[in-house]
Amino acid sequence: MAVDPLIELRGVNKHFGDLHVLRDIDLAVGRGEVVVVIGPSGSGKSTLCRVINRLEGIESGTITLDGEPLPEEGKELARLRAEVGMVFQSFNLFAHKTVLANVSLAQVKVRGRKRAEADKRSMELLDRVGLADQAPKFPAQLSGGQQQRVAIARALAMNPKALLFDEPTSALDPEMINEVLEVMRQLAQEGMTMVVVTHEMGFARSAANRVVFMADGQIVEDRTPEQFFTAPESDRAKDFLSKILKH
């Protein structure tokens, strides 16, 4: 378990109707750690991501961020979402706003920055994800890979303590996947705390400190990439790996 956990889940349970999607989840993510969550469809990976950001509530258990329990609602919740940025499968950019405005908006609204200061920060981050020249455009004028990089810049603009990625490349064409993973690898190297739900095993192998393998709403394995990929312990993991590593 992580020594100095930034994110900690203890005994977390979540149902959707009769479906028990998270079963007694215990997970600690240390500062600067990259934890990649993998597993078959319907194993609870995305829900795990969403409860950390309180996009989904939980029925039992506790979730703490930096030692503080997650707030329920209102202003405190907005602040939490600034502390824990989230990058979704579907970009979620505002179509009617420019790329620059997309990255600046929450800085002004939630962080209370002046527009000029926010725009300056946005430009630095767009430059960092290789898109400074796209700032005046609208999302529809960008490729999927570019839009996802804008979404990452937008999450970074809030100076979050951690970033959650929920299958950030699964809606992208194959040739765009790498440009997004490259930005994520860079962040990992810079020490950003990250929880990444993904199907990209190469990324899990190269960028993760730990691989968390989920099946049927439970964490089945939580090990280093080296251990997990070379010697999985559970039958579920062996089965999963044999299916995906064949091709």
Side-chain angles (χ1 to χ4, degrees):
M1 286 296 247
V3 192
D4 174 21
L6 181 63
I7 299 167
E8 190 163 21
L9 289 77
R10 285 174 179 243
V12 169
N13 283 278
K14 168 79 185 166
H15 289 77
F16 289 125
D18 292 338
L19 197 62
H20 198 166
V21 278
L22 295 178
R23 303 168 180 259
D24 295 318
I25 296 287
D26 290 323
L27 177 68
V29 180
R31 277 164 223 286
E33 238 189 340
V34 178
V35 174
V36 170
V37 184
I38 63 176
S41 296
S43 55
K45 310 181 297 282
S46 287
T47 307
L48 177 72
C49 233
R50 294 172 73 86
V51 299
I52 296 173
N53 217 16
R54 249 208 152 65
L55 289 168
E56 301 283 356
I58 58 174
E59 280 109 42
S60 62
T62 57
I63 303 178
T64 53
L65 173 70
D66 218 352
E68 301 284 315
L70 292 196
E72 290 298 325
E73 56 205 29
K75 273 212 167 93
E76 288 303 309
L77 187 54
R79 201 166 296 139
L80 163 86
R81 297 216 173 116
E83 300 292 340
V84 184
M86 185 139 181
V87 178
F88 301 89
Q89 199 170 340
S90 55
F91 327 136
N92 291 9
L93 299 173
F94 293 108
H96 60 289
K97 291 192 182 301
T98 63
V99 163
L100 181 64
N102 262 288
V103 181
S104 292
L105 185 68
Q107 296 180 64
V108 175
K109 290 259 196 292
V110 180
R111 288 288 194 219
R113 291 180 188 151
K114 298 263 187 304
R115 168 63 57 159
E117 185 196 344
D119 283 351
K120 182 170 178 281
R121 170 92 178 124
S122 298
M123 286 307 295
E124 285 163 11
L125 288 165
L126 286 168
D127 188 41
R128 188 166 157 188
V129 299
L131 292 172
D133 57 335
Q134 307 293 321
K137 293 189 177 172
F138 289 89
Q141 297 171 287
L142 272 54
S143 72
Q146 289 173 320
Q147 289 186 59
Q148 193 58 293
R149 285 186 283 152
V150 172
I152 294 172
R154 177 180 60 180
L156 288 171
M158 305 300 280
N159 303 98
K161 292 178 177 172
L163 282 182
L164 309 172
F165 292 86
D166 187 9
E167 303 202 4
T169 57
S170 60
L172 298 178
D173 293 333
E175 71 272 15
M176 293 172 195
I177 289 173
N178 243 353
E179 65 193 59
V180 173
L181 293 179
E182 205 35 64
V183 170
M184 291 167 64
R185 279 198 187 93
Q186 193 63 45
L187 292 174
Q189 281 162 2
E190 289 165 15
M192 173 59 80
T193 307
M194 293 161 54
V195 177
V196 183
V197 174
T198 186
H199 296 290
E200 297 297 326
M201 295 304 136
F203 177 81
R205 258 196 169 136
S206 63
N209 299 100
R210 283 158 54 206
V211 171
V212 167
F213 174 74
M214 289 184 74
D216 305 321
Q218 289 173 306
I219 292 178
V220 182
E221 301 200 22
D222 178 349
R223 306 167 68 213
T224 67
E226 181 61 23
Q227 293 167 325
F228 178 77
F229 286 107
T230 52
E233 286 174 344
S234 61
D235 290 339
R236 288 302 302 263
K238 285 175 191 161
D239 182 49
F240 177 79
L241 286 171
S242 72
K243 287 194 177 100
I244 57 161
L245 297 178
K246 269 193 191 120
H247 42 247

